[in-house]
Amino acid sequence: MQEFYKVLEISEGASNEEVELAYKTLKEKYSKERFMEGEVGNNAAKMLTKVETAYFEICESRKRNIDDGGQTVENFYEVEKSIKEGNFAKAQSLLDEFSTRSAEWHYLQSVVFYKKNWMSESKKQLEIAVNMEPFNTKYSKAYSLLKEKIEYNDRQFRAGNMGGAYGPNEQYQERQMGGSDSNNCMTFCATWCCMDMLCTMCCR
Amino acid sequence: MFGYVKTDLPNLYVKDTILYKSMYCGLCKGIGCACGNKGRLLLNYDLTFLSVFLHNVMGLDVKIEKQRCIIHHVRKRPVAIPDDLTKRIGALNVILARYKFNDDVLDSGKGRLARAFFNSSYKRAKKSEPELDLIVKERYSELVKYEKTGGDSVDIASDPFGNMMVDVVNVLMGELVSEPIKEIAYNLGKWIYLIDALDDFDKDKKKNNFNVFINKYQSVKDKEQLIKEKQQELIYVFGSTLSTIAENAKKIEYKFNHDLTDNVLMRGLSMQTKMVMENEKCKNSTKF
């Protein structure tokens, strides 16, 4: 079953739409190349049959509802569908029903947490998924995206601002002249006033 | 649990400083109208921000007049005349304070006196805003339920507070509410809960109170060590909420100029986080 997915250049957890899209683009590509000269045309013709069989087999297996690992792909598909619809409570209850927790399960759980703004839990689940299948590009890509977000925030944090209406950030990352004293000018002024008053009192 | 949502004063325009001050005074007077003068002592910055924010996104203009008050009785100060929304937020202020006292009493047994003192204000607030009272009550009980399990999930512990904010905004805004506003409300609630937990780490450790960070990092002795050793994780926790806020703040359709809300959302919050992380006293930093 894995080879079929490899032919279509997708992962096993891909949704039905993704399978169809991959099939269509590949078919189009090889259909064009088929009539070219020499090795390229030959290869394309071979690939075209391969793609056709792969797509057929995948569809059949999904119809039968059972994947090689015994995990129901159709259920993952249901979860993905509810995530897309924005129904996270339903997605969560669907996820809870699974008895075995594959990498894909952890990945989807991570997505649900992410959508719920539970970033720490999301990261935890994604880390599990990546550890279970280190070579799955979907998981590692999602993880690096999440990490990028952390690093971005980290930089913003050290600069002490998150951008916004006050123009380009660079301008504000420079140090304030006079340091924190000028930032704390309010307290400074008050102190100065008190001192001044005390002085006038003595010197009178 | 209050007083973390503040402006980054050095970077606030003068016009917005005046607006912010007058909204602050306006809310104080609003509490007076809704719950009586005693309740005005409970005024805080978080609800001031909520007032500024909601007035802006709902397109309700405020009228600023120079008025006197008990504390500022000599010189007249600019005050945003309290409208219906301000009064509702004033009632919410008192309700939130009441449940905070309840929480304190549950935690440490202290605060009974304060609670009794503000009881009459709370009763008036509850009478005028029963819906808001119910929301806060339910979300607090959710929180207490989780605290009893002694869980260590940052996300689950702060979830009730986030949802409380969403519900509150839902009620106050009615049909005008939009998705980015809800996202901001949720993350802001979460952030308030978490920054308070981090700030109170040492206190809670000493008194053996529930604190999600203590449960999560059991080997850590005090806040200084926590911040030193788990800095990356903490930055992730707070950074993820703040970046979601910043992202959604750009999507909001404001009805008025939004320099003030941007100052709080983009600068004030991260500044406060930074201060708590650097173990500075944050409560005194933005005095007028």
Side-chain angles (χ1 to χ4, degrees):
Chain A
M1 186 49 71
Q2 239 168 352
E3 318 152 5
F4 294 135
Y5 282 100
K6 233 177 240 171
V7 170
L8 290 185
E9 298 170 0
I10 47 175
S11 74
E12 285 186 52
S15 69
N16 286 358
E17 284 108 316
E18 282 175 87
V19 173
E20 206 178 310
L21 188 75
Y23 165 64
K24 271 186 185 160
T25 38
L26 283 177
K27 193 183 165 187
E28 209 174 321
K29 184 183 157 208
Y30 292 128
S31 304
K32 271 184 198 161
E33 282 179 7
R34 183 157 63 132
F35 302 111
M36 284 163 88
E37 279 179 9
E39 194 58 34
V40 185
N42 232 340
N43 194 32
K46 267 184 212 159
M47 282 308 286
L48 195 63
T49 31
K50 267 191 184 175
V51 167
E52 294 277 10
T53 19
Y55 179 65
F56 178 74
E57 284 294 327
I58 289 169
C59 283
E60 274 304 302
S61 106
R62 289 199 171 194
K63 256 183 219 155
R64 267 183 277 125
N65 215 355
I66 293 162
D67 198 13
D68 283 354
Q71 194 60 266
T72 47
V73 170
E74 194 64 31
N75 277 0
F76 279 139
Y77 174 65
E78 278 293 313
V79 176
E80 269 172 19
K81 209 175 108 192
S82 4
I83 291 174
K84 260 178 206 156
E85 282 166 2
N87 191 347
F88 306 124
K90 193 184 163 201
Q92 186 63 62
S93 66
L94 281 171
L95 281 170
D96 290 339
E97 279 170 17
F98 282 82
S99 48
T100 44
R101 302 191 161 178
S102 60
E104 182 69 14
W105 186 92
H106 287 291
Y107 170 74
L108 285 172
Q109 181 65 75
S110 155
V111 174
V112 172
F113 280 147
Y114 183 86
K115 295 282 182 188
K116 276 171 78 181
N117 275 316
W118 289 22
M119 298 299 181
S120 306
E121 298 290 328
S122 170
K123 191 169 147 232
K124 220 191 271 170
Q125 292 297 332
L126 199 54
E127 272 164 1
I128 297 173
V130 170
N131 279 337
M132 282 170 93
E133 286 184 18
F135 300 111
N136 190 319
T137 46
K138 186 167 78 169
Y139 305 155
S140 46
K141 206 174 152 192
Y143 189 63
S144 66
L145 272 175
L146 200 62
K147 248 185 160 173
E148 236 168 65
K149 210 172 168 180
I150 313 169
E151 270 154 28
Y152 173 73
N153 284 320
D154 192 20
R155 253 182 286 131
Q156 299 264 305
F157 251 61
R158 289 182 200 286
N161 79 72
M162 305 288 287
Y166 291 80
N169 293 342
E170 282 82 359
Q171 196 185 334
Y172 284 93
Q173 280 172 4
E174 283 165 12
R175 215 166 60 86
Q176 168 76 26
M177 232 172 104
S180 58
D181 270 353
S182 77
N183 277 356
N184 295 335
C185 64
M186 306 264 167
T187 33
F188 175 75
C189 288
T191 330
W192 190 81
C193 280
C194 291
M195 295 258 289
D196 187 54
M197 277 201 293
L198 286 171
C199 286
T200 19
M201 229 158 64
C202 299
C203 302
R204 196 176 264 185
Chain B
M1 205 159 278
F2 294 127
Y4 291 100
V5 183
K6 284 182 187 167
T7 55
D8 177 18
L9 196 56
N11 288 304
L12 191 63
Y13 291 127
V14 175
K15 66 180 170 84
D16 293 321
T17 313
I18 294 169
L19 175 65
Y20 190 59
K21 274 185 190 179
S22 50
M23 292 298 281
Y24 186 72
C25 291
L27 181 62
C28 183
K29 297 219 167 188
I31 298 175
C33 294
C35 323
N37 278 332
K38 245 198 284 178
R40 289 169 71 177
L41 296 169
L42 298 168
L43 173 71
N44 69 54
Y45 287 118
D46 303 4
L47 275 297
T48 310
F49 169 71
L50 188 69
S51 172
V52 173
F53 183 71
L54 289 186
H55 275 93
N56 197 333
V57 291
M58 289 168 80
L60 299 169
D61 205 357
V62 289
K63 203 174 152 220
I64 296 178
E65 261 177 31
K66 289 208 161 183
Q67 283 186 357
R68 290 195 177 89
C69 81
I70 314 168
I71 301 171
H72 311 113
H73 49 277
V74 181
R75 226 175 61 193
K76 285 187 177 177
R77 296 239 169 177
V79 173
I81 306 296
D83 51 12
D84 283 344
L85 180 63
T86 316
K87 285 172 196 165
R88 294 187 82 184
I89 293 171
L92 175 67
N93 190 330
V94 173
I95 290 168
L96 281 170
R98 162 71 172 208
Y99 283 97
K100 188 200 173 286
F101 287 137
N102 277 354
D103 203 41
D104 288 350
V105 171
L106 266 180
D107 266 2
S108 57
K110 280 180 186 167
R112 277 176 215 276
L113 204 68
R115 189 172 64 173
F117 180 73
F118 292 113
N119 199 21
S120 60
S121 320
Y122 167 67
K123 273 187 182 156
R124 273 181 76 175
K126 190 183 173 182
K127 206 176 158 193
S128 61
E129 297 295 335
E131 207 176 343
L132 291 175
D133 181 66
L134 197 72
I135 289 169
V136 180
K137 189 179 168 187
E138 273 174 6
R139 295 299 179 187
Y140 255 105
S141 68
E142 249 175 59
L143 182 64
V144 170
K145 216 188 268 168
Y146 184 71
E147 288 186 354
K148 274 186 186 148
T149 65
D152 63 354
S153 165
V154 173
D155 287 324
I156 303 176
S158 58
D159 191 50
F161 240 75
N163 285 328
M164 186 199 293
M165 287 292 289
V166 175
D167 291 346
V168 161
V169 169
N170 259 337
V171 169
L172 290 175
M173 289 188 72
E175 289 168 359
L176 293 167
V177 78
S178 67
E179 212 41 57
I181 293 175
K182 279 194 207 163
E183 291 274 298
I184 287 185
Y186 180 81
N187 280 289
L188 199 58
K190 256 183 104 156
W191 181 84
I192 293 172
Y193 179 83
L194 291 174
I195 199 80
D196 184 61
L198 183 63
D199 205 17
D200 289 346
F201 189 87
D202 288 339
K203 209 176 84 192
D204 290 341
K205 187 108 187 165
K206 220 163 93 188
K207 291 183 181 168
N208 237 345
N209 289 344
F210 174 86
N211 185 317
V212 66
F213 288 113
I214 295 178
N215 286 356
K216 195 171 179 198
Y217 308 111
Q218 282 171 348
S219 58
V220 176
K221 283 193 205 80
D222 58 2
K223 192 175 143 197
E224 221 179 303
Q225 194 194 352
L226 170 76
I227 287 161
K228 218 172 174 183
E229 282 175 14
K230 310 284 176 190
Q231 198 186 28
Q232 281 307 313
E233 287 176 43
L234 289 176
I235 284 180
Y236 179 77
V237 168
F238 290 106
S240 57
T241 53
L242 291 184
S243 72
T244 321
I245 290 176
E247 244 168 59
N248 284 291
K250 285 172 196 152
K251 290 185 207 154
I252 286 183
E253 284 176 36
Y254 289 103
K255 301 284 175 1
F256 300 102
N257 179 295
H258 48 91
D259 290 336
L260 177 52
T261 53
D262 278 354
N263 177 285
V264 176
L265 290 176
M266 315 277 194
R267 291 175 158 276
L269 297 182
S270 57
M271 190 195 67
Q272 288 289 324
T273 316
K274 215 175 149 198
M275 282 185 156
V276 172
M277 297 269 252
E278 284 169 7
N279 232 343
E280 281 175 41
K281 274 189 189 140
C282 58
K283 305 234 162 168
N284 301 327
S285 59
T286 34
K287 261 188 202 160
F288 291 135

